[in-house]
């Protein structure tokens, strides 16, 4: 028992504070709003976990505690007697859970967490909140299914890893700033100031623009036109609308882009906000708008001498200048993370919208369709220019005509996908899907799961390829967050050895060599089956197993966790084309199951099967503790077979309470083994 709780008696609870409350029976109806509050807090933390850019694993630890509390109090019954003491203690629990929610809000978004770090450490606050949580649970005499104290050491490690990752992100973001002084603390303050200004401006402007009050926008955000006579035109053009100008006095180069008169207010409003992003060297600098003799308007930005990235990559060999191109990838990641920090989505990330300066710095440009996060529900058209970089969910929406609601808006997951395709283009030095010209054909292939493969032996690090594979995952929920992409690209760029890697082949994972192939899979052999379609064919049993295995094998090699599970399953069943020994097959199967099992909550089947292999010592070292750990993961993921196995384990170890809990859960799922056990042992499961 904690030192915070000295004793629990019938009338008084001692916590170092006098909490004596007279036991007056009150109606259960008064408890209902508090119970609903807990459910709402849980829903909010689940949402925060889904959108977290930082400290995602810490947020999950909080989510598990709130979920446990919600589960424990949801079984309260109206026919039980409750007192004012119960009510006051439930109020205290709700207050603690509210603190947890606020803490989750602060640590998951960079614009809040960097302020938070200045006042109090993440680890200390988490520990204190957990202590308050434990006291509240004890005061209510609630029994939780999970004993969180068992995992204290594991949680401490998670805390340290998440904080370390955040510190790493801060250093990477600091490299994007133009100041000579790039200390992390100065970057934090600068980002905080920019976020505050940009957010306030964006919200105000969005509200006024929505109501059609352009005159009020002009009054609040007065934007003077730049004197046109201060600039001198040159003979250098980029397309029909972009031209190089020189400042007469400063002799600095600028880009003048023609603005249609009907779009003037929209561009002016955007520039008013985007000028505030000038501190980030990986976003094109906006200076304002100028006007030529009452005829033309121009958007004035910095000039990029080396054109756009598409033009830069054209004709280059992928084996050469790898370090420079990795630098471009890292630059773009810094720019995108800065935009994400100030809550702006670009919505058109592709090589034509990245420019390269004379110092070989990559910068994001063309914010024509960019929006603040809150306005990201605006409909965005997919055309032949952006189809190659558009996510499958956006393409599917365009094909089916689905309406865009809050749950299906263009968001950072779509942006991550576009960045993933751009990373492939940077590595390969060619246009994605260049072999297809038809807009509809590209759309159908992407929707069905086809992605361009990497060319073997071009010297691109394997870690880079793995990042691209995860970024373009068919399932948006499995794509990495921008902050993680930034730190991965930071590692890749800084650790890349030009001498040893310029023309060296891509390293491969250490695995038993079981087959010879070219590294390029013939996707046509299974007619562009999506992973979901392959699983459906597996379930129906109507397609040849060797064909389905090839599909699972291809997607598994791209990093898809579901495909890894099914590939392992097919190997275990003898339905693969592997020719190695059974011992080697068992090891490959165990590795695949574990990789799928460790990929969040995607595959409880993988968690169960890996647990059983560990329990038997098949393909992996026998370890009962690890087996139970993965059984619990599967059981808590609603797998009734795992529930039954966990229950029998607890019964065998004289833990009747948890044994009954999991057995009843399995029986409630109509699992016959569990039902028979409950009947044989007089356990009520209905």
């Amino acid at each position: 028992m904690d030192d915070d709780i000295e004793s629990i008696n019938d009338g008084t609870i001692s916590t170092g504070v006098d909490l004596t409350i007279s036991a007056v029976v009150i109606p259960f109806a008064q408890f209902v709003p508090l119970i609903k509050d807990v459910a709402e807090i849980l829903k909010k933390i689940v949402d925060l976990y889904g959108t977290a850019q930082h400290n995602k694993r810490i947020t999950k630890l909080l989510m598990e505690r709130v979920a446990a509390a919600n589960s424990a109090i949801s079984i309260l019954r109206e026919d039980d007697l409750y007192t004012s003491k119960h009510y006051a203690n439930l109020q205290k629990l709700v207050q603690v859970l509210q603190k947890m929610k606020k803490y989750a809000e602060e640590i998951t978004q960079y614009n809040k967490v960097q302020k938070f770090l200045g006042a109090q450490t993440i680890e200390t606050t988490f520990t204190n909140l957990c202590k308050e949580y434990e006291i509240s649970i004890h005061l209510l005499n609630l029994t939780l299914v999970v004993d969180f104290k068992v995992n204290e050491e594991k949680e401490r490690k998670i805390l340290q890893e998440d904080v370390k990752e955040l510190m790493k992100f801060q250093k990477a973001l600091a490299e994007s700033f133009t100041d000579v002084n790039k200390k992390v603390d100065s970057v934090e303050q600068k980002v905080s100031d920019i976020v505050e200004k940009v957010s306030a401006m964006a919200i105000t402007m969005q509200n006024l623009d929505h109501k059609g009050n352009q005159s009020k926008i002009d009054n609040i955000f007065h934007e003077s036109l730049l004197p046109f006579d201060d600039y001198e035109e040159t003979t250098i053009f980029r397309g029909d609308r972009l031209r190089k100008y020189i400042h007469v006095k400063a002799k600095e180069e600028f880009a003048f882009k023609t603005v249609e008169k009907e779009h003037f207010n929209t561009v002016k409003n955007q520039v008013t906000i985007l000028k505030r992003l000038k501190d980030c060297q990986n976003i094109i600098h906006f200076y304002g708008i100028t006007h030529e003799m009452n005829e033309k308007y121009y958007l004035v930005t910095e000039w990029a001498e080396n054109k756009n990235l598409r033009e830069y990559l054209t004709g280059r060999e992928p084996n050469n200048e790898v370090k420079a191109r990795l630098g471009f990838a890292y630059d773009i990641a810094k720019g995108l993370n800065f935009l994400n920090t100030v809550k702006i989505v670009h919505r058109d990330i592709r090589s034509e919208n990245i420019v390269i300066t004379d110092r070989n710095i990559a910068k994001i440009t063309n914010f024509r369709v960019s929006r603040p996060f809150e306005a990201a529900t605006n409909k965005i058209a997919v055309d032949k220019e952006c189809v190659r970089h558009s996510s499958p969910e956006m393409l599917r929406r365009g094909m089916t005509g689905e309406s865009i609601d809050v749950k299906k808006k263009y968001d950072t997951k779509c942006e991550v996908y576009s960045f993933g395709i751009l990373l492939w283009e940077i590595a390969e030095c060619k246009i994605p899907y260049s072999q297809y010209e038809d807009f509809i054909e590209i759309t159908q292939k992407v929707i069905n799961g086809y992605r361009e493969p990497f060319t073997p032996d071009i010297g691109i690090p394997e870690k880079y390829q793995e990042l691209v594979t995860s970024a373009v995952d068919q399932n948006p929920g499995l794509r990495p967050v921008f902050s993680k992409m930034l730190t991965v690209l930071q590692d890749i760029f800084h650790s890349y050895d030009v001498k040893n890697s310029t023309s060296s082949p891509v390293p491969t994972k250490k695995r038993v060599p079981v087959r010879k192939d070219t590294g390029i899979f013939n996707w046509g052999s299974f007619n562009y089956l999506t992973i979901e379609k392959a699983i459906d064919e597996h379930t129906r049993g109507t397609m040849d197993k060797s064909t389905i295995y090839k599909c699972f094998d291809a997607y598994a090699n791209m990093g898809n966790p579901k495909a890894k599970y099914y590939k392992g399953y097919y190997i275990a069943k003898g339905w693969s084309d592997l020719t190695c020994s059974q011992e080697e097959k068992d090891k490959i199967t165990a590795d695949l199951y574990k990789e799928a099992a460790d990929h969040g909550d995607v595959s409880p089947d993988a968690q169960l099967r890996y647990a059983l292999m560990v329990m038997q010592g098949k393909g992996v070292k026998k370890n009962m503790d690890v087996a139970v750990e993965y059984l619990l993961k599967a059981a808590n993921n609603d797998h009734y077979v795992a529930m039954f196995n966990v229950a029998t384990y607890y019964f065998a170890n004289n833990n009747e309470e948890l044994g009954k809990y999991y057995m009843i859960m399995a029986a409630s799922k109509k699992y016959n083994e569990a039902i028979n056990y409950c009947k044989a042992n007089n356990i009520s499961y209905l």
Side-chain angles (χ1 to χ4, degrees):
M1 186 172 290
D2 288 338
D3 295 335
D4 304 273
I5 304 176
E6 297 172 4
S7 63
I8 298 180
N9 301 314
D10 292 336
T12 305
I13 301 172
S14 177
T15 63
V17 180
D18 183 11
L19 295 175
T20 305
I21 305 170
S22 58
V24 178
V25 176
I26 60 177
F28 177 79
Q30 292 190 27
F31 287 80
V32 174
L34 292 176
I35 295 172
K36 288 182 177 179
D37 284 346
V38 175
E40 284 299 315
I41 293 170
L42 175 60
K43 183 177 180 298
K44 177 61 177 176
I45 291 187
V46 169
D47 290 341
L48 288 169
Y49 174 73
T51 59
Q53 287 291 316
H54 304 281
N55 299 309
K56 196 175 185 76
R57 288 171 295 183
I58 297 177
T59 308
K60 187 176 182 181
L61 297 179
L62 294 171
M63 184 172 67
E64 288 170 349
R65 282 174 167 80
V66 177
N70 182 61
S71 177
I73 68 171
S74 65
I75 60 174
L76 299 178
R77 295 160 57 93
E78 289 193 43
D79 54 357
D80 291 332
L81 292 178
Y82 294 99
T83 65
S84 53
K85 183 177 75 173
H86 287 101
Y87 186 78
N89 288 335
L90 184 55
Q91 282 183 314
K92 292 180 188 302
L93 174 63
V94 171
Q95 289 170 4
V96 173
L97 299 184
Q98 291 281 15
K99 287 183 184 179
M100 286 183 163
K101 182 190 76 171
K102 186 173 186 296
Y103 171 73
E105 290 171 341
E106 291 173 325
I107 67 170
T108 51
Q109 302 297 330
Y110 184 75
N111 59 307
K112 291 186 178 181
V113 73
Q114 51 87 19
K115 289 182 181 179
F116 180 81
L117 285 173
Q120 205 171 12
T121 66
I122 289 176
E123 295 179 65
T124 301
T125 305
F126 179 84
T127 302
N128 292 338
L129 282 172
C130 289
K131 286 182 179 179
E132 289 186 54
Y133 175 86
E134 290 163 11
I135 293 172
S136 298
I137 294 297
H138 279 296
L139 290 173
L140 280 165
N141 291 323
L142 293 177
T143 302
L144 300 182
V145 173
V146 182
D147 183 1
F148 292 105
K149 289 201 166 200
V150 172
N151 295 319
E152 279 185 352
E153 187 58 38
K154 184 179 177 181
E155 290 188 346
R156 191 176 296 111
K157 185 178 179 183
I158 289 173
L159 282 163
Q160 292 170 351
E161 288 175 351
D162 265 12
V163 172
K164 183 180 178 182
E165 188 73 18
L166 178 60
M167 299 300 108
K168 190 175 179 181
F169 169 82
Q170 288 177 310
K171 289 180 181 178
L173 196 64
E175 292 185 27
S176 180
F177 277 71
T178 54
D179 285 356
V180 175
N181 178 14
K182 292 182 179 179
K183 292 180 180 179
V184 170
D185 55 354
S186 65
V187 171
E188 288 177 9
Q189 186 56 51
K190 182 156 287 185
V191 169
S192 177
D193 293 342
I194 295 171
V195 169
E196 193 171 335
K197 290 177 183 176
V198 169
S199 297
M201 291 173 65
I203 292 171
T204 302
M205 198 172 287
Q206 180 187 341
N207 291 337
L208 291 173
D209 190 36
H210 181 69
K211 297 175 182 177
N213 293 324
Q214 185 61 44
S215 59
K216 287 187 178 180
I217 294 175
D218 294 339
N219 289 333
I220 297 173
F221 306 105
H222 182 67
E223 190 71 25
S224 299
L225 295 177
L226 298 171
F228 183 80
D229 291 339
D230 285 355
Y231 303 87
E232 182 179 63
E233 73 175 340
T234 70
T235 58
I236 300 175
F237 287 83
R238 296 274 171 80
D240 297 332
R241 299 177 58 201
L242 191 66
R243 188 167 189 168
K244 182 178 179 179
Y245 275 69
I246 304 290
H247 194 278
V248 176
K249 294 181 179 178
K251 301 301 179 183
E252 293 179 358
E253 300 171 338
F254 293 87
F256 275 42
K257 185 174 183 178
T258 306
V259 176
E260 303 296 337
K261 191 171 183 179
E262 59 267 29
H263 298 148
F264 173 76
N265 283 331
T266 301
V267 174
K268 179 170 63 67
N269 294 345
Q270 284 187 316
V271 170
T272 302
I273 295 175
L274 294 172
K275 281 172 65 176
R276 270 65 184 178
L277 308 184
K278 61 183 174 58
D279 292 296
C280 179
Q281 68 168 341
N282 300 117
I283 295 173
I284 199 77
H285 291 180
F286 290 83
Y287 295 99
I289 297 178
T290 189
H291 192 201
E292 179 189 12
M293 300 289 292
N294 296 320
E295 291 183 4
K296 292 182 179 179
Y297 289 97
Y298 298 97
L299 169 64
V300 182
T301 67
E302 65 178 308
W303 176 258
E305 185 63 32
N306 288 326
K307 304 181 180 181
N308 68 44
L309 184 58
R310 171 65 59 80
E311 294 169 310
Y312 182 95
L313 294 174
T314 300
R316 294 180 184 266
E317 292 295 327
N319 302 74
N320 299 328
E321 301 177 331
V322 175
K323 180 75 171 182
R325 286 182 284 122
L326 292 177
F328 294 157
Y330 183 36
D331 283 345
I332 300 164
K334 287 182 284 186
L336 286 170
N337 271 274
F338 187 81
L339 289 177
N340 188 66
T341 299
V342 297
K343 296 188 175 298
I344 290 177
V345 282
H346 185 276
R347 305 207 308 170
D348 195 12
I349 293 298
R350 49 193 169 95
S351 55
E352 297 96 324
N353 292 333
I354 307 296
V355 293
I356 310 298
T357 70
D358 57 351
R359 293 183 295 134
N360 273 356
I361 296 175
K363 301 194 176 212
I364 301 171
T365 188
N366 191 2
F367 286 76
R368 180 176 58 87
V369 294
S370 66
R371 296 286 187 276
F373 280 5
E374 293 77 9
T377 53
N378 290 18
K379 190 167 185 178
I380 181 169
V382 177
D383 55 29
K384 64 180 181 180
E385 293 180 354
C386 63
V387 65
R388 300 175 193 275
H389 294 79
S390 295
S391 65
E393 59 269 27
M394 293 303 295
L395 294 176
R396 187 180 297 111
R397 197 167 304 141
M399 289 280 286
T400 61
E402 293 177 24
S403 60
I404 299 178
D405 57 28
V406 175
K407 293 181 180 179
K408 294 182 178 181
K409 66 182 181 181
Y410 183 100
D411 57 16
T412 55
K413 293 297 182 184
C414 300
E415 200 110 303
V416 164
Y417 178 93
S418 297
F419 184 37
I421 297 295
L422 179 56
L423 290 178
W424 181 90
E425 185 175 352
I426 290 171
E428 293 285 333
C429 293
K430 60 184 179 183
I431 298 171
Y433 313 107
S434 57
Q435 66 274 37
Y436 308 112
E437 289 298 326
D438 184 70
F439 174 100
I440 300 299
E441 186 177 11
I442 295 172
T443 298
Q444 289 175 335
K445 290 187 183 302
V446 172
I447 288 175
N448 289 332
Y450 174 71
R451 303 290 184 271
E452 294 275 54
F454 280 96
T455 304
D457 303 338
I458 58 172
I460 295 298
E462 182 186 17
K463 198 173 180 182
Y464 184 102
Q465 298 188 32
E466 290 174 347
L467 181 66
V468 171
T469 299
S470 61
V472 299
D473 197 288
Q474 195 80 353
N475 183 346
L478 298 181
R479 296 170 197 160
V481 294
F482 272 130
S483 58
K484 183 64 177 177
M485 297 185 79
L486 175 63
T487 55
V488 170
L489 287 169
Q490 179 190 36
D491 286 342
I492 293 171
F493 175 68
H494 288 309
S495 64
Y496 186 82
D497 187 338
V498 177
K499 290 182 181 179
N500 296 330
S501 304
T502 302
S503 58
S504 60
V506 180
T508 56
K509 291 183 179 179
K510 292 182 180 179
R511 196 179 285 280
V512 181
V514 294
R515 25 185 311 207
K516 295 180 180 179
D517 55 37
T518 62
I520 304 176
F521 187 80
N522 180 12
W523 289 85
S525 65
F526 54 88
N527 299 320
Y528 303 102
L529 283 179
T530 65
I531 183 64
E532 288 78 12
K533 180 66 174 174
I535 293 171
D536 182 55
E537 292 292 347
H538 159 76
T539 304
R540 292 165 56 190
T542 55
M543 184 178 283
D544 179 64
K545 284 186 171 57
S546 63
T547 301
I548 299 178
Y549 172 75
K550 287 180 181 179
C551 178
F552 290 142
D553 182 34
Y555 280 113
N557 291 336
M558 291 173 64
N560 185 289
K562 285 185 181 178
K564 288 181 179 180
Y565 164 70
Y566 279 99
K567 179 180 177 180
Y569 182 77
Y570 269 52
I571 293 172
K573 289 290 187 181
W575 299 335
S576 72
D577 57 0
L578 301 189
T579 57
C580 54
S581 68
Q582 186 58 50
E583 183 180 351
E584 290 170 334
K585 288 181 181 179
D586 288 343
K587 185 180 184 310
I588 295 172
T589 300
D591 287 347
L592 288 166
Y593 282 164
K594 187 176 189 305
E595 288 173 18
D598 288 342
H599 210 291
D601 299 335
V602 174
S603 182
D605 284 326
Q607 292 165 343
L608 171 65
R609 292 188 183 277
Y610 180 68
L612 296 177
M613 292 192 81
V614 174
M615 194 180 294
Q616 299 166 22
K618 191 176 180 180
V620 66
K621 186 177 179 181
K622 188 174 182 178
N623 188 318
M624 197 61 192
D625 290 338
V626 173
V628 172
E629 177 189 345
Y630 279 88
L631 277 176
L632 280 168
K633 285 182 179 181
N636 293 330
N637 264 332
D638 228 21
H639 201 300
Y640 53 81
V641 177
M643 293 172 184
F644 177 78
N645 279 276
V646 169
T648 57
Y649 168 79
Y650 280 128
F651 281 132
N653 286 272
N654 299 317
N655 191 330
E656 293 289 322
E657 185 177 355
L658 284 177
K660 284 184 179 179
Y661 172 81
Y662 281 104
M663 191 61 73
I664 291 170
M665 290 287 287
S668 68
K669 299 288 183 183
K670 302 191 184 305
Y671 184 49
N672 286 332
E673 295 285 339
I675 293 173
N676 293 335
Y677 186 98
C678 288
K679 288 179 179 178
N681 292 275
N682 295 318
I683 298 174
S684 176
Y685 63 90
L686 297 176

